[in-house]
Amino acid sequence: MNVIYPLAVPKGRRLCCEVCEAPAERVCGACTVTYYCGVVHQRADWGSIHEKICQLLIPLRTSMPFYNSEEERQHGLQQLQQRQSRFFFPQKHLIEFCYTVAQKYIFEGKHEDAVPAALHSLRFRMSVHGLSSVELVPAYLLLAEASLGLGRIVQAEEYLSQAQWTVLKSAECCHATHSLLHRNLGLLYMAKENYEEARYHLANDIYFASCAFGTEHIRTSGGYFYLANIFYGLKNLELADTLYTKVSEIWNKYLNNHYQVLSQARTQQVDLLGRQFETDTGLDEAQEAEAIQILTSILKIRESTSDKAPQKTIFVLKILFMLYYLMVNSSKAKEYAMRALDLAKEQQLSVHEQNTIQDLLNLTSAEEAHPITW
């Protein structure tokens, strides 16, 4: 990480920290277009997102020089327009990239790391869509969720208020955005232990997600999951169990569809897509992190009652096996398959169930012995 201390700032120009917008004292030495109030925020931004996008920021943030003549000015303006046209789509790509990185951090519980990436996504959105566009809402919601994870309730409320106001002013807000808004409001009220309001917003989350994606879609499962957490915390175990089962079934159906295709392709050593690939979950990194978070959380709850309902625990273990198998993480896939087999033997489940799990183990063992190169 290169550091340069600015020796002078042009008169009338205020340099602001990338993370907190305080007056800047440092600049990134690699791109020279990103400023920080101090070393703490520079390191935080670098570790979160800046290292990944440092060089991409140079053409987006480099200002045009002063021109002595109208001819030079017109030429410079033409170059600027060409540059903006050239980097418009990359900037739109950066919006999604930073958003996905921030989401992944949140699902992994790395809320401090999520903040700089979410701020970058917000600023890129402002640059492309304007200051009042509904396209800003997903970034506000990410910042709210990160703030909740850090225990900063007031700051989370501020981001959520901005998101709500932006949605209210927009006539073109889609169901998916409404779903995200209500989910984050539900999380806010859960943190404030106002479970009645939390249930209301999570029910709306499920409704809007169902309108956008369908009731059995993985994008809808998050609402069911957080609603289940509320009932579990309130000791309404029967209703919580029903919702956890629904979430598990949604993920099982989704992953099993991909697993059946990929396991056959790997067995035959045939790439059905005619191209190289590393994973075949059909998910981006943030969605994979979300799946891990949701399913491992359910697994912990299932394991606490595995003596009463071992089949439910084994069901989640097999889903996690499929997830890691599709992510080409054979060691983790094998770990969950072995845990499922041990539990099946311990609880003396049917020979058919044990053989089914053994087949999963055999599949991972065969790949470890003869890895397939795509």
Side-chain angles (χ1 to χ4, degrees):
M1 181 176 65
N2 297 322
V3 177
I4 295 177
Y5 293 87
L7 299 177
V9 177
K11 187 176 181 180
R13 183 182 177 189
R14 179 174 176 266
L15 301 178
C16 299
C17 176
E18 188 74 15
V19 177
C20 68
E21 297 188 349
E25 298 178 358
R26 306 164 77 89
V27 62
C28 172
C31 66
T32 69
V33 292
T34 309
Y35 302 91
Y36 303 98
C37 63
V39 67
V40 174
H41 281 177
Q42 182 173 14
R43 287 176 177 168
D45 190 40
W46 181 265
S48 169
I49 190 69
H50 189 74
E51 181 182 13
K52 303 176 182 68
I53 64 173
C54 181
Q55 295 303 300
L56 300 176
L57 298 176
I58 297 174
L60 293 174
R61 292 180 172 176
T62 302
S63 58
M64 298 301 291
F66 175 78
Y67 297 107
N68 295 315
S69 67
E70 178 63 20
E71 183 179 352
E72 289 180 343
R73 192 186 72 81
Q74 288 296 332
H75 179 69
L77 180 61
Q78 188 179 42
Q79 287 186 320
L80 174 63
Q81 291 171 341
Q82 289 175 351
R83 187 181 69 189
Q84 289 176 336
S85 174
R86 179 183 175 188
F87 288 99
F88 179 75
F89 287 106
Q91 190 162 335
K92 291 180 69 175
H93 170 74
L94 283 171
I95 289 173
E96 296 307 319
F97 178 72
C98 295
Y99 182 82
T100 299
V101 169
Q103 268 192 320
K104 183 172 183 287
Y105 283 137
I106 286 174
F107 290 130
E108 292 175 342
K110 301 175 181 177
H111 300 98
E112 196 77 56
D113 291 332
V115 173
L119 284 171
H120 274 284
S121 181
L122 177 62
R123 293 190 184 109
F124 289 136
R125 289 169 189 269
M126 288 178 173
S127 177
V128 173
H129 301 289
L131 298 179
S132 59
S133 170
V134 73
E135 296 292 338
L136 275 55
V137 171
Y140 285 133
L141 297 179
L142 269 186
L143 288 163
E145 194 167 352
S147 299
L148 283 176
L150 294 168
R152 301 168 184 168
I153 305 295
V154 174
Q155 189 174 54
E157 287 181 311
E158 291 175 356
Y159 284 126
L160 283 171
S161 295
Q162 185 64 53
Q164 279 184 295
W165 177 241
T166 305
V167 168
L168 284 172
K169 291 191 299 180
S170 173
E172 301 177 352
C173 187
C174 64
H175 289 312
T177 301
H178 276 292
S179 168
L180 287 174
L181 176 60
H182 282 289
R183 182 170 302 181
N184 278 269
L185 286 167
L187 294 175
L188 171 66
Y189 285 108
M190 285 175 66
K192 297 171 74 171
E193 299 185 355
N194 185 340
Y195 298 117
E196 185 175 348
E197 279 294 317
R199 288 199 301 269
Y200 166 79
H201 286 292
L202 290 173
N204 276 284
D205 165 27
I206 293 168
Y207 167 75
F208 284 111
S210 297
C211 291
F213 310 107
T215 57
E216 307 299 315
H217 197 277
I218 56 173
R219 294 282 292 273
T220 309
S221 70
Y224 295 126
F225 171 70
Y226 290 116
L227 198 56
N229 286 348
I230 291 177
F231 289 119
Y232 186 80
L234 295 173
K235 307 302 180 183
N236 190 336
L237 302 184
E238 184 177 350
L239 191 49
D241 178 77
T242 300
L243 289 168
Y244 285 135
T245 298
K246 185 172 185 63
V247 174
S248 301
E249 288 173 345
I250 289 172
W251 278 101
N252 177 67
K253 181 180 179 181
Y254 174 84
L255 292 170
N256 189 56
N257 288 338
H258 288 262
Y259 169 75
Q260 293 299 330
V261 174
L262 186 60
S263 60
Q264 181 180 2
R266 288 183 182 177
T267 302
Q268 298 173 352
Q269 298 191 23
V270 174
D271 181 356
L272 299 182
L273 298 178
R275 59 178 174 80
Q276 290 187 344
F277 61 90
E278 295 180 357
T279 69
D280 193 32
T281 60
L283 308 170
D284 61 32
E285 288 187 347
Q287 291 170 323
E288 288 178 353
E290 180 184 22
I292 292 169
Q293 181 218 20
I294 288 176
L295 293 170
T296 53
S297 296
I298 295 175
L299 177 61
K300 289 179 182 178
I301 292 169
R302 293 305 192 206
E303 286 181 326
S304 68
T305 57
S306 61
D307 56 328
K308 299 177 183 178
Q311 287 282 14
K312 292 181 179 179
T313 305
I314 290 173
F315 184 53
V316 181
L317 286 167
K318 289 163 70 175
I319 299 170
L320 280 162
F321 161 82
M322 286 191 293
L323 176 61
Y324 280 106
Y325 179 82
L326 292 167
M327 292 172 64
V328 198
N329 188 334
S330 59
S331 62
K332 290 293 289 186
K334 187 176 182 179
E335 173 194 331
Y336 284 111
M338 290 182 68
R339 287 169 63 178
L341 183 59
D342 290 343
L343 182 58
K345 290 178 178 179
E346 177 188 319
Q347 298 294 324
Q348 298 181 338
L349 300 186
S350 68
V351 174
H352 174 73
E353 179 67 33
Q354 293 183 37
N355 288 339
T356 300
I357 301 170
Q358 185 63 56
D359 289 341
L360 304 181
L361 271 173
N362 294 341
L363 189 61
T364 56
S365 297
E367 289 197 5
E368 287 179 341
H370 304 286
I372 297 172
T373 304
W374 297 95

